[in-house]
Every structure is written in structure tokens, then in C-alpha cells.
Amino acid sequence: MESFGNLLRTKREEKNISLETASRDTIISKQYLEALENERIDIFPGHTYVTGFLRNYSEYLGLDSAYIVKLFNSKIMQEAPIPENLIIKKHVNKKIIAGIAGGAVGLCAALILTLYFTVIKPGKEKTPAVDLGKTAGESYTVSAIPLQRRLYKGDTICVPFPDNTVNLSVEKTLNTLALTTPIGVQYVELGEELEMDVDGTGGADIVVFLSDISKENENLGAEVRMFVKAGSTAAISANELISAGSVAVESGEVLKDGTKHTVILQDNRAYPFTINASFRGMCLYRYKSDRSDPAEHFLTSGDTLKVSAQSALRLWISNANTVKMQLVAEGKSYDLEMGRPGQVLVEDVRWIKEADGVYKLTVAEVD
């Protein structure tokens, strides 16, 4: 099997490009470029970061990024140990050892073909052999806090109203998301943000945004972001949530996790805020808004992303110098500092409540 590290180094040397120049052009630190060429993937925080940097670096050198990533995935698969629970520890009669040895040849061939068609072979959408993240018939309650989930057919979305709860059923997750509501089936297209009336009163109750859905396999589900529309009868008071999630600290005090915070603004109340991010290079961008599950996107030059929160937002950025972030709150905007090239940056943006009752919107870098 070819070495993706050797291909990267050879191509760079053919183009007479130094590591310093490549680092400056790709906005990836020299340390990470050297690690890619030497296949030292142990220094990266995770395999997702390796994949992102490989795509960026190989495209910069004029290599086939999909092929380079495939070589990396093949290396990981080959080096991965066999899980102990797949090894059956059992005494075998010596008389059947010869038969097992003969059958092993056929078994190896079958495994190689299976791996090729299910893992390595490109061009078709991959279906996981076991979906560890899915439990049939899950139920989720939507509120004013954006909820990002992968929904599957048979799941239920509960929309609370003052007098009752309206349940929506996930009817279809193939090409189009179909939700069965008390007033009929409603459809959401990929990339569409739909304001949905679920109780038939004529006003929008919830907002559903469909960010990912399969065109070939319904079992892969649909990635959605949904929340109760502000001002609707189903809305939950954002002030109550913010009060419950605020942290009372003295002015200038170090936060409980040991980090120091930078105050962006202060007020006698807390209110929702938004982070607008624009990208000038490849970057893995993850975020967790309030109490919702983390969401993850791989973004590249020219992409933009908007994330809102009521009280707290955590950001993970694989290559901090590629992203420019602007915080918007109460009609005012503030530019946040960019990190270093190749830096893996984790930041918390959240409201904290001082002992005197003043609310401060703060930014803190997390180790």
C-alpha cells in the first residue's frame, strides 16, 4: 500500500516548496505538516482533524485529496487491533485444525472483498454496519433552545403548549423529511428552514432546518435543527433558562474550570447572542449551544456559519487562524480575536452573573 506521507513529501519536494512556505500558504502549522509527512497521527487531537488537514495539504500540493484520505483510512483500518469480544476463546480439536487452515484462506478473501465494497471503495454512500447512535422510537422535546438531532423514521417530536403537548411523528427520512402533524403531513427539503404550524391555529409554532439527509438510504436518518418560534404560544421564557444557566461570580474572578474570561459587554439582563463565522481555509468547526447536542461541520474558504445561543456557547475550531468570528448581541457587533495558524482552539462564550446582579457576556479560552 502506498504511503500518504511519502506522497505528500515527494510532491512538496518536487515543487521545491519548503515546509515554512507550505505552512504560511495553507495556514497549517509546520509541526502538523511534518506530522502528516511522517504519518505521526498520534500528535493530532483526533482523526477528524487529520482528515481535514490532509484534504487541505494535498489539494495545495495538487494531489488527489480523496485518494490521500483513503490511504489514511486504510492505514488506520490495518493498524486497528481486533476487538477482544470478536475473538472466540475456545479449545479446538486438533483433527479440525487442517480444515480451519484451509477455510481461513477463503475467509480472508471474503473479508478483503467485504472491506473493499463496504469501507474502501469510493463513489457510493456508506451505510454503517451497526448504527450505535440510533435507538428506535426516540422522543425529543423542542423548546426555545435550538435542538440539533439526527432523526430517524418512527421518532417523535414533542411540542409543549400551555394546555397540552402536540406530538409530531417522523414519517420519512429519504431525500425529504416528512413529519406527521395533527393537521397533516408536512415536508422539509434539504437546506430549507421551515416555519411550521403544528396545531392548526394559523401561526408558526416551531422552526425546522434540515441540514443533512440521504438520497439513497432512509436508515441514515436526517440531521435537523429545530426550536420553538419566539412569540408563539409554545414559546418557553428565555429569561428563565438564562437565569437557571447563569453562574454567579465576583468581578474578575477566575471561572471554576480555571480559565480567565474577557468581558465583551455587560447589562442588567441577559439576552440571546449570535456568532457569525466566515472561513478563509479548511476548518473543522464544532459547537454546542446551550443544552443541545454538539454539531459539527467541515468548512472551507468562502463558507459562512451562523450559530445562536440563549446563555452559553462552546466552540471547537481545528485551525483557528482560518476563521473570523463576530459576536452580535442586542443589535451590536464585536470582533473576536483569531487564533494562531494550526491552533486547535476551544472557547466558551456565555453570560455570567456577578454577585451584584449585573450580567456580563464573556469569552474564555479553554485548555
Side-chain angles (χ1 to χ4, degrees):
M1 182 182 71
E2 287 188 282
S3 164
F4 68 85
N6 286 339
L7 289 175
L8 293 171
R9 184 186 303 106
T10 301
K11 193 67 173 179
R12 177 178 60 80
E13 292 174 349
E14 285 179 358
K15 290 177 172 286
N16 197 26
I17 300 174
S18 67
L19 282 170
E20 290 76 12
T21 300
S23 176
R24 184 177 62 252
D25 292 343
T26 61
I27 323 178
I28 300 175
S29 71
K30 179 182 175 182
Q31 174 194 11
Y32 286 144
L33 294 182
E34 287 179 324
L36 292 177
E37 291 187 355
N38 295 320
E39 300 190 4
R40 283 288 313 281
I41 49 185
D42 55 297
I43 77 167
F44 293 90
H47 289 171
T48 309
Y49 295 93
V50 183
T51 302
F53 288 154
L54 274 177
R55 287 198 182 102
N56 194 0
Y57 193 28
S58 57
E59 289 180 0
Y60 166 73
L61 294 174
L63 293 169
D64 184 349
S65 61
Y67 179 67
I68 297 295
V69 171
K70 187 175 78 170
L71 289 178
F72 163 68
N73 290 331
S74 298
K75 176 181 174 66
I76 296 301
M77 183 179 64
Q78 288 184 356
E79 294 180 353
I82 300 175
E84 291 187 5
N85 61 347
L86 295 182
I87 302 175
I88 303 175
K89 297 179 180 180
K90 190 175 182 180
H91 294 291
V92 181
N93 193 314
K94 294 182 180 180
K95 293 181 179 180
I96 63 172
I97 290 179
I100 293 176
V105 176
L107 177 60
C108 288
L111 285 174
I112 291 172
L113 288 174
T114 301
L115 288 172
Y116 176 77
F117 283 106
T118 61
V119 178
I120 301 175
K121 185 178 181 181
K124 289 192 176 181
E125 191 171 17
K126 300 177 182 66
T127 304
V130 180
D131 185 355
L132 298 177
K134 178 187 182 305
T135 302
E138 287 284 359
S139 179
Y140 305 104
T141 299
V142 63
S143 69
I145 306 171
L147 175 68
Q148 183 131 355
R149 286 283 184 178
R150 194 155 198 93
L151 300 178
Y152 299 88
K153 185 175 180 179
D155 287 348
T156 301
I157 302 169
C158 304
V159 184
F161 285 84
D163 299 326
N164 67 321
T165 297
V166 173
N167 294 326
L168 316 181
S169 176
V170 179
E171 182 69 23
K172 174 187 173 186
T173 58
L174 183 64
N175 199 35
T176 301
L177 174 66
L179 300 175
T180 300
T181 75
I183 60 173
V185 180
Q186 301 192 46
Y187 298 89
V188 188
E189 302 291 338
L190 180 62
E192 179 184 13
E193 183 173 270
L194 180 65
E195 295 187 355
M196 189 177 295
D197 175 14
V198 300
D199 62 354
T201 58
D205 301 307
I206 64 172
V207 178
V208 180
F209 174 69
L210 179 60
S211 59
D212 181 59
I213 194 168
S214 174
K215 295 183 178 180
E216 298 179 6
N217 189 343
E218 189 165 29
N219 293 328
L220 295 180
E223 185 78 16
V224 301
R225 182 174 182 269
M226 51 190 173
F227 55 92
V228 170
K229 182 175 172 59
S232 70
T233 55
I236 297 176
S237 171
N239 289 333
E240 291 180 5
L241 173 66
I242 293 171
S243 298
S246 299
V247 182
V249 297
E250 294 294 338
S251 179
E253 183 180 355
V254 175
L255 301 181
K256 291 181 180 180
D257 56 10
T259 60
K260 295 182 179 179
H261 59 273
T262 300
V263 177
I264 302 298
L265 60 90
Q266 64 182 40
D267 209 324
N268 58 3
R269 63 186 181 91
Y271 35 79
F273 60 89
T274 298
I275 296 291
N276 293 324
S278 57
F279 299 83
R280 62 189 185 99
M282 291 188 176
C283 176
L284 179 70
Y285 192 82
R286 300 180 64 208
Y287 58 88
K288 177 176 170 55
S289 177
D290 298 309
R291 298 173 184 172
S292 63
D293 288 340
E296 181 177 291
H297 301 276
F298 186 78
L299 300 154
T300 187
S301 179
D303 288 341
T304 59
L305 185 66
K306 179 185 294 186
V307 182
S308 299
Q310 299 284 355
S311 60
L313 178 65
R314 170 161 287 191
L315 302 169
W316 293 264
I317 306 166
S318 69
N319 197 0
N321 196 241
T322 64
V323 57
K324 179 180 180 181
M325 294 188 293
Q326 185 181 66
L327 187 151
V328 180
E330 199 75 347
K332 300 177 181 178
S333 60
Y334 309 83
D335 290 331
L336 302 183
E337 292 184 5
M338 297 175 66
R340 303 183 305 275
Q343 178 187 9
V344 178
L345 180 65
V346 183
E347 284 191 334
D348 280 340
V349 185
R350 61 172 170 169
W351 284 101
I352 61 174
K353 186 179 180 181
E354 299 283 4
D356 58 2
V358 174
Y359 288 89
K360 293 183 177 181
L361 184 56
T362 65
V363 177
E365 185 173 338
V366 181
D367 293 332

